[in-house]
Amino acid sequence: MRSKIPYFIMIPSILSVIMFMFYIIFGDHYIGHPITISFFITITILLFILDSIDDLIFRRKIKFLTEKKRRQILEENEGNYFFIFYKFIFHDPKINQEVKRIDHGFDGIIELDNKLPMWWIHLFYLTIVFSFIYFFSYFLTDFSNPYKEYEIAYKKQLKEIEIFEKKTPQVTIANAFFNKKFIDSGKILFEENCATCHQSDGSGNIGPNLTDDYWINIVDKNLFKNIFSIIWNGSKNNPTMRAFGESGEIKGNDIQKISSYVYFINTKSKKPIKSKTHQGKKIMDWN
Ligand code: HEC
């Protein structure tokens, strides 16, 4: 008769296998869900009940053994569980048998047919079992499927962006301000959205030169706010310069960055070598 594996090894092992299967099938979607938690609590209670039934049967069975045998089994039961586990994995009763020799006869070479070690065989079976679990979970569930994982991560990120944008209010003309830190990112945005008409250095093309002191549109006494306002509302007298902010094409925060870049190229002393001729009125006394 085999000795009994104690409950504090058996139950956690079975539980972890069930949890692993649960994770493979459902992923981490339902981990904190009350139903999941009660499911695992129920399973734990069931395992305890099963174990006590098993314990009862075990005690019943050893009652019919001789005193000596009973003591032997009970002693085995109380031993070092790691050693029992070690024996289960590595011990093979056949290992001590004599090594089989295969005699090829004709060349005088004798081949030794050694038994494979137990740990190797157990590992081999484990890989087969795992490959089945993995195979079915890969094809029947979303586990480890890169396309599904990508989709989930992508949706999650979109949601995070949405939440972020809702939480952080966009800058408006009322609270926009110039910041040196925005110049670099503003330059990139300017090249993407404005360079077709104004050139990437702001020297002008279809749209006017933005680096000189001449302005067609004067809607604010402050230079930075004037720039912000034109980008937000567009030009009243030429629809080619459209209302980027009002139409929602560019968000307030990005307009603040672009405006910082335009403000920077307009106020810095080094002007582009070639630029479009002045248009509008010369304004020097900005606030
Ligand atoms: C489709 C071409 C086009 C694009 C794209 C464009 N603009 Fe303009 N922009 C113009 C034109 C044309 C004017 C002149 C409007 C007028 O005559 O009132 C202008 C005027 C301006 C002015 C006012 C200049 C002045 O002297 O009054 C600013 C500032 C400006 N644009 C910035 C930008 C920025 C920043 C962007 C990118 C977000 C941009 N523009 C994109 C064509 C464009």
Side-chain angles (χ1 to χ4, degrees):
M1 206 175 127
R2 274 254 299 272
S3 58
K4 209 180 143 292
I5 301 169
Y7 73 94
F8 55 83
I9 290 180
M10 199 63 174
I11 291 176
S13 323
I14 295 177
L15 259 184
S16 46
V17 170
I18 296 173
M19 279 179 181
F20 179 61
M21 299 283 288
F22 185 90
Y23 173 69
I24 283 181
I25 294 169
F26 297 109
D28 48 12
H29 295 296
Y30 304 106
I31 277 180
H33 201 277
I35 293 180
T36 315
I37 294 167
S38 39
F39 170 74
F40 280 110
I41 291 173
T42 316
I43 284 196
T44 313
I45 294 169
L46 277 179
L47 284 175
F48 266 107
I49 294 172
L50 278 179
D51 189 79
S52 20
I53 294 172
D54 196 33
D55 204 49
L56 268 179
I57 295 172
F58 176 74
R59 277 171 205 287
R60 270 270 136 153
K61 270 187 182 166
I62 59 170
K63 253 193 179 166
F64 300 108
L65 297 174
T66 59
E67 177 67 36
K68 207 178 139 206
K69 269 220 144 165
R70 196 184 313 161
R71 193 169 309 148
Q72 191 198 336
I73 285 171
L74 286 176
E75 261 169 24
E76 245 176 58
N77 244 354
E78 262 157 44
N80 186 338
Y81 299 110
F82 291 107
F83 181 65
I84 294 172
F85 186 61
Y86 171 84
K87 267 206 317 202
F88 168 69
I89 294 180
F90 292 103
H91 183 70
D92 179 6
K94 287 176 241 144
I95 204 103
N96 295 328
Q97 275 178 7
E98 209 177 311
V99 177
K100 209 162 130 195
R101 290 157 185 269
I102 305 169
D103 192 349
H104 293 281
F106 53 87
D107 55 6
I109 295 172
I110 292 173
E111 190 188 339
L112 299 183
D113 188 12
N114 280 312
K115 281 240 170 291
L116 287 166
M118 274 323 260
W119 63 262
W120 196 95
I121 292 171
H122 278 132
L123 207 65
F124 179 62
Y125 290 145
L126 201 72
T127 56
I128 293 174
V129 171
F130 185 75
S131 68
F132 270 101
I133 297 175
Y134 197 84
F135 181 84
F136 285 109
S137 53
Y138 185 85
F139 284 104
L140 300 180
T141 77
D142 293 349
F143 181 71
S144 269
N145 188 325
Y147 296 106
K148 287 275 159 55
E149 277 180 2
Y150 174 78
E151 211 175 281
I152 290 166
Y154 180 68
K155 275 187 188 156
K156 206 170 141 194
Q157 220 154 36
L158 280 188
K159 217 171 198 167
E160 270 172 17
I161 292 171
E162 205 179 289
I163 291 168
F164 175 80
E165 287 197 338
K166 256 187 209 162
K167 271 193 191 158
T168 45
Q170 295 283 334
V171 170
T172 61
I173 183 79
N175 57 2
F177 60 92
F178 169 76
N179 192 332
K180 264 200 270 182
K181 280 192 206 144
F182 296 150
I183 293 171
D184 287 340
S185 48
K187 183 175 197 273
I188 295 167
L189 289 164
F190 187 87
E191 280 165 0
E192 278 170 14
N193 296 289
C194 327
T196 39
C197 296
H198 291 282
Q199 297 288 24
S200 48
D201 59 359
S203 57
N205 188 9
I206 301 165
N209 179 1
L210 301 177
T211 61
D212 59 8
D213 298 324
Y214 292 80
W215 292 87
I216 306 166
N217 299 272
I218 301 137
V219 286
D220 202 296
K221 285 192 181 117
N222 177 282
L223 176 57
F224 178 80
K225 295 236 165 165
N226 193 46
I227 295 165
F228 189 101
S229 176
I230 295 163
I231 303 170
W232 186 277
N233 297 308
S235 165
K236 291 280 170 285
N237 43 51
N238 188 345
T240 317
M241 178 62 205
R242 56 189 188 272
F244 288 93
E246 212 172 56
S247 66
E249 191 177 336
I250 305 178
K251 293 257 163 46
N253 291 352
D254 281 350
I255 293 184
Q256 175 165 251
K257 289 175 191 161
I258 298 173
S259 305
S260 291
Y261 174 68
V262 175
Y263 181 86
F264 170 71
I265 56 171
N266 186 268
T267 50
K268 88 171 171 175
S269 51
K270 215 171 146 235
K271 302 285 172 195
I273 301 162
K274 254 178 79 182
S275 59
K276 208 178 168 190
T277 43
H278 308 311
Q279 287 166 275
K281 272 206 305 193
K282 186 169 183 176
I283 310 277
M284 295 300 282
D285 52 347
W286 295 102
N287 282 357

